Amino acid sequence: LPGGFTKAYALLEVQPPDVRVRALEQTTAKFPSFAPAWKDYALLLDDTDARLAALDRGLAADPDDETLGMLTINKAFILRNRGDTEEAKRIVAELLRDPRCTQGTEAVAKGFGL
C-alpha cells in the first residue's frame, strides 16, 4: 500500500456515508486484495446481494484474522436474515473452530447467538 494510505483510510471513519462509499469503491477497485475495505464497504451497501458479493470478495482477499471473522459474521447475519439459518450457523461454527478465530470474533459470534 502506498505511503499515507493507512492514515487516509483511518480518516474515512469520520466522513459522511456517501463520501465513505465513494472512497471505498475507489479503494476496492485500486486495491482489491485489501480485505478491510471490502468489509467496510459491505456495511455501507443497502442491497443485500451487493453486500454479500462485497463480503465474499473480502473473504477471497486473504484477510487478517480479525477481518476474516467480521466478514464471516456479517455474511452469516445476511444469510440468517434471508432465511438460510442452517448455512449461517454452519459458517459461524466453522469460523469458531478455525484457529484464526480471534477472541473478539468469538465474542461477537456468541453474543449474537450465531
Side-chain angles (χ1 to χ4, degrees):
L1 299 173
F5 177 84
T6 304
K7 181 179 179 181
Y9 189 79
L11 290 173
L12 283 178
E13 284 188 30
V14 299
Q15 298 299 317
D18 61 320
V19 172
R20 288 197 323 257
V21 167
R22 284 193 308 276
L24 288 166
E25 285 171 347
Q26 293 170 356
T27 301
T28 56
K30 191 168 184 175
F31 305 105
S33 64
F34 186 62
W38 288 108
K39 174 187 63 77
D40 295 338
Y41 181 55
L43 294 175
L44 294 170
L45 297 172
D46 293 325
D47 180 79
T48 54
D49 289 333
R51 187 176 286 167
L52 276 174
L55 293 168
D56 284 338
R57 293 282 307 266
L59 288 165
D62 191 27
D64 63 272
D65 295 351
E66 189 69 25
T67 303
L68 169 72
M70 295 313 297
L71 287 163
T72 302
I73 289 168
N74 284 314
K75 181 175 180 175
F77 285 143
I78 293 170
L79 293 172
R80 183 184 68 185
N81 290 341
R82 284 186 158 185
D84 197 351
T85 305
E86 292 307 312
E87 177 64 7
K89 287 180 179 179
R90 186 194 67 74
I91 66 173
V92 170
E94 187 177 292
L95 173 67
L96 292 171
R97 288 189 304 272
D98 190 327
R100 293 181 61 195
C101 182
T102 66
Q103 288 180 331
T105 298
E106 182 178 356
V108 171
K110 289 181 177 178
F112 283 100
L114 295 173

